[in-house]
Amino acid sequence: MADPDVHSAYRQAGVDYAVLDAGKRDALGEALATSHWLAAAGGRALDASRGEPAFVLRFAGSTLAFVLETLGTKSMLAREYEEAAAAGQAGDAPAGGGHFADIAYDTVAAVLNDLICVGALPLVLNAYFATGSSAWYTNGARAGALLEGWRRACDDAQCAWGGGESPALAGLLGGEDIELAGSALGFVPPPGEPLLGGELAPGDEIVLVPSNGLHANGASLARRIAGQLPRGLLTPLSPDLAGESFGAALLRPSFLYVELVRRLLGDPEVELTYLSHITGHGLLKLMRPRRELTYRIHALPPVPPVLRFLAEHAGLDPAAAYSTLNMGAGFAVYCRAGHGVHVVRLARELGLDALLAGAVEEGPRQVVLEPVAVTFASDQLALAPEPQAQAGERTL
């Protein structure tokens, strides 16, 4: 059984999940009290979606989903790596601010990979580019790369870029830094229903779809570890000091899972019961639904070298690593028994080396990771108010 306090290393990097999660639960409790305003406008809040990756509502005959997500401190990694690479003449550093295209892509992926978890497909996305100074944009190559990466991610997701906001926040952000975030609106394709965990049942299969590295979670920890390495972000991942550097590997653009979910939702051979984006909290996210069910994993994807390097240098044991980082599992697809093989095939057609990893069982709410001998108990993940505080599709 894993120690409930597995996040001490991340806490030292300035991220305390216990405090953040308590704040989220308090905010959701207040949010529930406002659902009647949507009802007054002729809509209906699906309050069971509170605490899920996206909020779901019904309006004018459509089922819509809405989400807001941020990149966190990964934009600082991009700046710090490019500065280090310029000073150290690293061979794997792109010229002209290229990593800012990558982190823009990462931001869109962070937003839309959350949106699709409720069984919605994206319609429109707005951008939030906050800088410490408007002078940030005077580097034309860097600013152009940012816009190119954002546009490319929207094209890959078949999502319109609607607009956004770009405040200059002197005193709140450093003049050399940019904070990236986005909000998106999506729709649940009719006649389907949103995936909120209520359909999960013992016997359902769990398919894990790989990540390709850090994605958008763990940057604060990575920056702290880089500060402890003699060569910092330029440190090679391999013991023989050859090959890709720590910084370049951290900044590899995230996988975008929208097309996979689009195909799954349109495939009559697959019945989905839940979807989970594996980001903060790592594989604890496998038990995001507040259901008394056990999620047993008998196979895990390979750990990307950059995450293995990060976990080892941070001193994370398996329980801490798999509850902090994605450790190679970027997305989880839950489906009815016998459907997992088809999910794996569709994912591999898209170049995602998915695997049929486990199943849902009767039992207490927990995650059992058999390959690493780790069990996560229910009280280690509480992102939403207690179920009795929610009222499904109440109209008030």
Side-chain angles (χ1 to χ4, degrees):
M1 180 72 68
D3 186 331
D5 184 14
V6 294
H7 296 129
S8 60
Y10 213 18
R11 189 177 301 111
Q12 293 171 24
V15 181
D16 190 329
Y17 278 145
V19 173
L20 293 174
D21 292 349
K24 290 177 183 178
R25 292 192 299 272
D26 289 345
L28 286 169
E30 295 296 324
L32 278 163
T34 69
S35 293
H36 65 284
W37 294 116
L38 186 54
R44 183 165 56 183
L46 272 64
D47 286 335
S49 67
R50 307 281 193 182
E52 291 295 320
F55 173 66
V56 183
L57 65 146
R58 300 198 196 276
F59 191 80
S62 296
T63 301
L64 304 173
F66 182 75
V67 66
L68 183 148
E69 187 55 85
T70 74
L71 182 68
T73 61
K74 197 171 183 181
S75 59
M76 298 178 73
L77 270 176
R79 173 184 58 79
E80 291 166 355
Y81 175 66
E82 292 198 351
E83 290 173 353
Q89 297 183 340
D92 53 9
H99 280 301
F100 286 88
D102 296 339
I103 61 169
Y105 196 101
D106 281 345
T107 309
V108 175
V111 175
L112 298 185
N113 286 343
D114 269 5
L115 181 76
I116 58 177
C117 285
V118 296
L121 297 176
L123 288 169
V124 63
L125 181 145
N126 271 15
Y128 176 80
F129 302 158
T131 57
S133 167
S134 56
W136 192 94
Y137 294 98
T138 60
N139 183 328
R142 182 177 60 182
L146 182 80
L147 300 180
E148 183 275 326
W150 194 278
R151 159 80 184 269
R152 177 162 45 88
C154 288
D155 284 340
D156 286 350
Q158 300 177 41
C159 177
W161 178 1
E165 180 66 14
S166 54
L169 305 176
L172 186 60
L173 292 173
E176 71 279 17
D177 282 317
I178 186 167
E179 180 189 15
L180 301 176
S183 59
L185 180 70
F187 73 105
V188 177
E193 289 293 316
L195 300 172
L196 303 178
E199 298 302 313
L200 279 167
D204 286 356
E205 294 175 337
I206 303 172
V207 173
L208 292 180
V209 187
S211 75
N212 64 348
L214 192 69
H215 285 198
N217 179 65
S220 295
L221 178 61
R223 292 178 62 244
R224 183 172 75 83
I225 295 305
Q228 300 171 358
L229 299 171
R231 293 191 62 193
L233 291 169
L234 301 184
T235 303
L237 292 181
S238 63
D240 61 3
L241 304 182
E244 190 175 37
S245 70
F246 184 40
L250 288 169
L251 291 165
R252 188 178 295 116
S254 305
F255 283 151
L256 187 61
Y257 302 108
V258 175
E259 183 59 26
L260 173 61
V261 171
R262 190 187 310 276
R263 294 193 185 193
L264 291 172
L265 291 175
D267 195 320
E269 296 185 41
V270 177
E271 183 179 352
L272 301 178
T273 55
Y274 195 65
L275 298 167
S276 186
H277 184 200
I278 309 299
T279 53
H281 300 86
L283 273 71
L284 282 167
K285 284 282 181 68
L286 293 176
M287 61 172 174
R288 186 163 193 156
R290 295 300 294 261
R291 299 282 308 279
E292 287 300 310
L293 294 167
T294 292
Y295 305 89
R296 185 174 299 278
I297 301 300
H298 55 71
L300 289 166
V303 180
V306 66
L307 296 184
R308 186 181 303 110
F309 182 95
L310 177 57
E312 289 175 356
H313 282 79
L316 303 182
D317 63 18
Y322 279 88
S323 60
T324 302
L325 306 169
N326 67 65
M327 297 304 282
F331 203 76
V333 177
Y334 304 68
C335 57
R336 293 301 186 211
H339 292 198
V341 172
H342 194 61
V343 173
V344 169
R345 182 179 65 78
L346 288 176
R348 290 181 176 175
E349 288 177 357
L350 294 171
L352 298 167
D353 194 18
L355 74 159
L356 185 53
V360 180
E361 299 178 352
E362 293 183 355
R365 181 174 179 259
Q366 62 180 352
V367 175
V368 181
L369 303 179
E370 292 181 342
V372 291
V374 167
T375 297
F376 296 125
S378 179
D379 61 1
Q380 291 176 257
L381 185 73
L383 300 179
E386 290 299 320
Q388 58 266 30
Q390 302 187 19
E393 296 181 22
R394 66 182 188 179
T395 55
L396 293 183

